[in-house]
């Protein structure tokens, strides 16, 4: 059996890779769905898009289920805190995720013209809501959110729904919207008919620039945003007890990991360069390579979030010592061993299956 600290680190890596898989697969669907009202699509073009995405949609939801399952199995306290604190917003995400495969199926199957506008609106909401909510979730994770753990591990959320809509979280949500819209627009530029390709190209170039501006703005804001730091000794192989540490908060502390390991700057730096590369490739009609560049930018943006917050998974801004890290909120060594043995091969199978489906239906 692997050492406890190695297991925690490997399972944290798995959680990150499943999140990247979700962003790359479901993110494409969400981006296409939220672009539907803005591309002046004809009815045959709408049916073509729905027919292309419908077979992929249900399978792509497996990535979200996998992220939730890994979080639940590996860090049950983090799962409980996040889902109890963001329950209203996450309920919207789950409903939207469930509606999308149904919407794509009926949008592609129904002929009655009275129903089609309703399915178009449902698909738009099924793309918009998850992107905005997950962006807000990422912003609030970076900012910290108000929860408290009592000595018997009772969880209390001490904030309000309105408080989650703070300016920084909305900026992160806007950045996510721009990135996924660009990702989807380049996909449509690659697979659409000549008329759609022109409109998708114009949208892609605009949204890539918007993403680059918002990503840079997020980075600049984080340098002054209050981050978190564990001030007591960290025991990577110790017993999980989130209340056995002291945490401080201060401006710019999310940059600590980059100061200790300067090589980590490569991750956000490459994400930004990949975005610039995607804009250039898109401009010269190299849509396939632009799509790959945006996929890299998307994956690296997700990794930037994880690396910046490491080792925190859920910081509390009202009860600092209740913050949860990957070292002190994990499941037991036996549970993590089982998780690694099951989720590791599952990740490879899902990645190969998803790539195969996209290749068949391109």
């Amino acid at each position: 059996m692997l050492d406890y600290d190695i297991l925690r680190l490997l399972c944290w890596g798995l959680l990150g890779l499943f999140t990247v898989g979700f962003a790359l697969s479901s993110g494409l669907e969400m981006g296409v769905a939220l672009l539907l009202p803005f591309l002046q699509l004809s009815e045959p073009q709408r049916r073509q898009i729905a027919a292309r995405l419908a077979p992929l949609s249900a399978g792509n939801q497996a990535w979200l289920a996998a992220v939730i399952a890994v979080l639940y199995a590996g860090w049950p306290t983090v799962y409980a805190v996040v889902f109890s604190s963001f329950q209203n917003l996450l309920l919207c995400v789950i409903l939207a995720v469930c509606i999308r495969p149904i919407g794509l199926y009926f949008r592609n199957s129904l002929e009655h013209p009275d129903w089609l506008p309703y399915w178009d609106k449902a698909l738009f909401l099924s793309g918009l809501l998850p992107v905005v909510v997950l962006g807000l979730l990422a912003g609030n994770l970076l900012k910290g959110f108000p929860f408290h753990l009592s000595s018997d591990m009772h969880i209390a959320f001490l904030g309000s729904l309105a408080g989650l809509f703070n300016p920084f979280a909305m900026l992160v949500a806007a950045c996510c919207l721009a990135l996924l819209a660009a990702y989807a627009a380049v996909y449509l530029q690659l697979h659409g008919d000549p008329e759609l390709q022109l409109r998708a190209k114009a949208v892609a170039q605009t949204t890539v620039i918007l993403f680059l501006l918002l990503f840079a703005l997020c980075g600049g804001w984080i340098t002054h945003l209050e981050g978190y730091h564990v001030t007591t000794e960290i025991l990577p192989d110790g017993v999980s007890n989130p209340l056995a540490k002291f945490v401080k908060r201060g401006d710019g502390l999310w940059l600590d990991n980059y100061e200790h390991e300067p090589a980590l700057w490569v991750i956000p730096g490459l994400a930004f360069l990949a975005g610039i590369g995607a804009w250039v490739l898109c401009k010269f009609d190299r849509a396939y390579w632009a799509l790959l560049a945006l996929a890299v930018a998307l994956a690296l943006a997700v990794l930037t979030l994880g690396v910046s917050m490491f080792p925190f998974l859920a910081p509390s801004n009202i009860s600092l010592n209740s913050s949860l890290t990957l070292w002190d909120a994990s499941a037991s060594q036996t549970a993590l061993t089982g998780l690694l043995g099951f989720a590791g091969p599952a990740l490879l199978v899902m990645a190969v299956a998803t790539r195969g489906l996209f290749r068949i239906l391109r």
Side-chain angles (χ1 to χ4, degrees):
M1 183 179 289
L2 292 172
D3 292 340
Y4 202 9
D5 53 340
I6 300 296
L7 274 172
R8 282 167 163 162
L9 202 57
L10 289 175
C11 289
W12 176 77
L14 272 180
L15 179 64
L17 290 176
F18 273 112
T19 306
V20 169
F22 167 70
L24 292 177
S25 57
S26 292
L28 186 62
E29 276 184 70
M30 291 187 279
V32 171
L34 68 88
L35 284 181
L36 287 177
F38 306 106
L39 290 172
Q40 301 172 353
L41 298 170
S42 62
E43 181 55 28
Q45 287 172 331
R46 289 177 186 273
R47 285 190 177 278
Q48 183 189 19
I49 292 172
R52 184 182 294 276
L53 294 181
L56 300 170
S57 187
N60 286 341
Q61 312 315 322
W63 286 99
L64 178 59
V67 172
I68 295 172
V70 171
L71 184 63
Y72 174 75
W75 291 272
T77 311
V78 178
Y79 168 87
V81 166
V82 170
F83 274 77
S84 61
S85 302
F86 298 93
Q87 55 182 326
N88 294 322
L89 294 178
L90 291 176
L91 180 61
C92 292
V93 173
I94 291 172
L95 288 175
V97 164
C98 293
I99 286 173
R100 196 180 319 118
I102 300 170
L104 288 169
Y105 173 77
F106 282 108
R107 186 65 184 75
N108 189 38
S109 305
L110 288 180
E111 299 287 344
H112 200 294
D114 291 343
W115 280 99
L116 297 182
Y118 293 107
W119 285 117
D120 287 340
K121 291 175 184 174
L123 284 174
F124 170 66
L125 290 175
S126 75
L128 179 67
L129 280 177
V131 179
V132 171
V133 170
L134 294 176
L136 286 172
L137 176 61
N140 278 289
L141 286 178
L142 279 167
K143 198 171 184 300
F145 56 100
F147 70 91
H148 173 72
L149 293 179
S150 63
S151 57
D152 60 354
M153 301 303 291
H154 176 78
I155 300 165
F157 178 64
L158 304 174
S160 63
L161 180 62
L164 300 177
F165 291 80
N166 54 76
F168 178 74
M170 288 193 284
L171 174 65
V172 175
C175 186
C176 294
L177 268 176
L179 177 54
L180 291 186
Y183 185 42
V186 173
Y187 175 80
L188 294 175
Q189 182 187 356
L190 179 63
H191 293 290
D193 56 40
E195 185 184 356
L196 177 57
Q197 286 177 4
L198 287 176
R199 291 197 292 267
K201 178 181 176 181
V203 172
Q205 287 185 284
T206 304
T207 48
V208 167
I209 291 175
L210 190 59
F211 159 67
L212 291 172
L213 290 174
L214 293 172
F215 190 66
L217 192 55
C218 286
W221 194 323
I222 284 175
T223 60
H224 300 288
L225 187 73
E226 288 188 324
Y228 298 79
H229 182 81
V230 179
T231 57
T232 49
E233 184 183 3
I234 296 176
L235 299 174
D237 57 350
V239 176
S240 289
N241 180 6
L243 300 178
K245 66 180 181 305
F246 288 98
V247 175
K248 71 174 182 180
R249 182 173 57 179
D251 290 349
L253 284 181
W254 284 141
L255 301 180
D256 266 8
N257 291 332
Y258 298 96
E259 290 177 2
H260 293 139
E261 294 291 342
L264 293 176
W265 283 109
V266 169
I267 297 175
L270 282 181
F272 196 79
L273 290 177
I276 295 174
W279 186 87
V280 174
L281 291 165
C282 179
K283 179 178 175 61
F284 291 102
D285 295 319
R286 298 291 187 267
Y288 177 77
W289 294 105
L291 186 65
L292 287 182
L294 279 174
V296 170
L298 181 54
L300 292 175
V302 173
L303 294 179
T304 299
L305 173 67
V307 166
S308 300
M309 292 182 61
F310 183 88
F312 288 90
L313 293 174
S316 170
N317 60 9
I318 201 167
S319 175
L320 300 182
N321 296 337
S322 296
S323 299
L324 302 172
T325 73
L326 72 97
W327 306 121
D328 62 17
S330 74
S332 67
Q333 189 171 5
T334 303
L336 291 184
T337 301
L339 173 62
L340 186 64
F342 178 78
L347 174 68
L348 294 176
V349 171
M350 290 174 65
V352 171
T354 302
R355 178 69 185 108
L357 276 174
F358 273 93
R359 191 178 181 83
I360 291 170
L361 298 170
R362 65 182 179 180

